[in-house]
Amino acid sequence: MTYQPLSLEHLDGLVDVHYRITTGNNLLPLMGRSAVRAFYRWWAGNPKVVAVVACCGETVVGHALGPLSPANYRQELNRAIWKDLMIGAIRVSFVHPIRLARLVTARKAMLRSMMRSVLRLHPGPVPPSLEAEVAYSTLLSIGVDPSFQGKSVARDLLAKFVAEMGRRGAKELRLTVRATNTRAIAFYNQTGWTFFDEANGGLRFRRVIGDAGDSNALNRTETGICN
Ligand SMILES: CC(C)(COP(=O)(O)OP(=O)(O)OC[C@H]1O[C@@H](n2cnc3c(N)ncnc32)[C@H](O)[C@@H]1OP(=O)(O)O)[C@@H](O)C(=O)NCCC(=O)NCCS
């Protein structure tokens, strides 16, 4: 198993993994492969984020990604991918109109925020000087192909992600996970995260960077789990 920074050559494999790990109750995959690809493309080579993939040979089997600062990334991401989402939404409205309507209703707040980003109705970007005052970074997403789960791939991905965040100056990480995602919650409880808040059906966890667990995890043996 190798762990590498996300690059354009990983996108197709990453989209495949995305479809294998997300449930039908998720808006992005419903919009089609181009929308999911556009989402991951934004992270590849972006200097303001950390994005790591796990590969078995040429095959992508997992990812961990998040922005160094939560201040502006949503607006930038939304502006980069909204056209792909719109094209996907038009296509889906013919094929699965009821499913689309249900998901749009469920994700109203997120879509409203996205429209505000696209129309640039958000207050202007946070200037870099203030961005530094947002004292935490974010783990936005982590996932492992089902056929590789339970083999410590996520644990190792997280270790690489945390180490790279630390190298880039991050001091604390935060994440939000759906309260119904018991498997992920078990994973976070086992990998150094502490629950600190609840918001909109999600649980918020945080983790200080630089404790002994990070370097231990980096030294783990990574061979022999590709088969
Ligand atoms: C959550 C997820 C990333 C874990 O990936 P994984 O590679 O299977 O996890 P690991 O093998 O590295 O597990 C590390 C530890 O987490 C805990 N853990 C992982 N999966 C677990 C499960 N199904 N039940 C209980 N504990 C679990 C265990 O303590 C495990 O350590 P152990 O094997 O020494 O007991 C994976 O299940 C996944 O991709 N889920 C779908 C996507 C998702 O929900 N992502 C998180 C929200 S963004």
Side-chain angles (χ1 to χ4, degrees):
M1 191 73 60
T2 57
Y3 296 87
Q4 342 172 352
L6 168 62
S7 68
L8 295 179
E9 78 206 29
H10 298 126
L11 292 182
D12 287 328
L14 211 43
V15 174
D16 291 341
V17 174
H18 190 99
Y19 274 95
R20 286 200 281 272
I21 60 179
T22 46
T23 62
N25 187 26
N26 199 304
L27 199 52
L28 184 62
L30 188 61
M31 299 299 137
R33 281 186 72 90
S34 318
V36 178
R37 201 171 195 283
F39 170 81
Y40 285 111
R41 192 173 55 225
W42 185 80
W43 297 87
N46 185 330
K48 295 182 179 175
V49 309
V50 171
V52 188
V53 289
C55 295
C56 239
E58 304 280 296
T59 310
V60 178
V61 303
H63 74 276
L65 50 85
L68 275 159
S69 164
N72 289 322
Y73 89 94
R74 269 285 170 205
Q75 288 96 307
E76 291 178 21
L77 174 59
N78 288 341
R79 283 174 198 156
I81 69 171
W82 74 273
K83 281 185 202 147
D84 299 272
L85 290 179
M86 285 303 289
I87 292 167
I90 291 166
R91 190 186 52 79
V92 174
S93 65
F94 289 107
V95 191
H96 302 294
I98 295 172
R99 209 163 137 202
L100 179 66
R102 271 202 209 115
L103 278 171
V104 165
T105 312
R107 302 276 189 282
K108 242 187 315 204
M110 188 201 81
L111 290 169
R112 200 176 301 126
S113 160
M114 176 171 253
M115 287 317 292
R116 286 173 61 82
S117 301
V118 172
L119 299 172
R120 296 178 193 268
L121 296 176
H122 276 288
V126 178
S129 54
L130 288 182
E131 224 177 291
E133 286 180 20
V134 181
Y136 64 90
S137 303
T138 308
L139 174 65
L140 181 78
S141 171
I142 184 165
V144 173
D145 190 299
S147 55
F148 284 86
Q149 288 178 9
K151 299 179 173 184
S152 294
V153 176
R155 198 189 277 276
D156 289 338
L157 266 169
L158 182 65
K160 308 289 174 192
F161 177 84
V162 172
E164 181 58 14
M165 277 285 184
R167 199 184 66 75
R168 307 265 297 272
K171 300 278 179 271
E172 183 183 321
L173 288 170
R174 294 189 185 182
L175 65 81
T176 305
V177 56
R178 281 195 201 142
T180 50
N181 194 346
T182 48
R183 198 169 41 172
I185 292 166
F187 170 71
Y188 296 131
N189 277 324
Q190 287 300 317
T191 51
W193 298 82
T194 309
F195 167 79
F196 72 98
D197 195 13
E198 233 173 299
N200 307 324
L203 306 184
R204 302 186 72 201
F205 284 77
R206 69 173 152 218
R207 185 187 199 283
V208 173
I209 296 185
D211 62 10
D214 298 339
S215 47
N216 287 346
L218 272 173
N219 292 333
R220 286 171 47 81
T221 306
E222 289 159 10
T223 52
I225 50 173
C226 275
N227 302 317

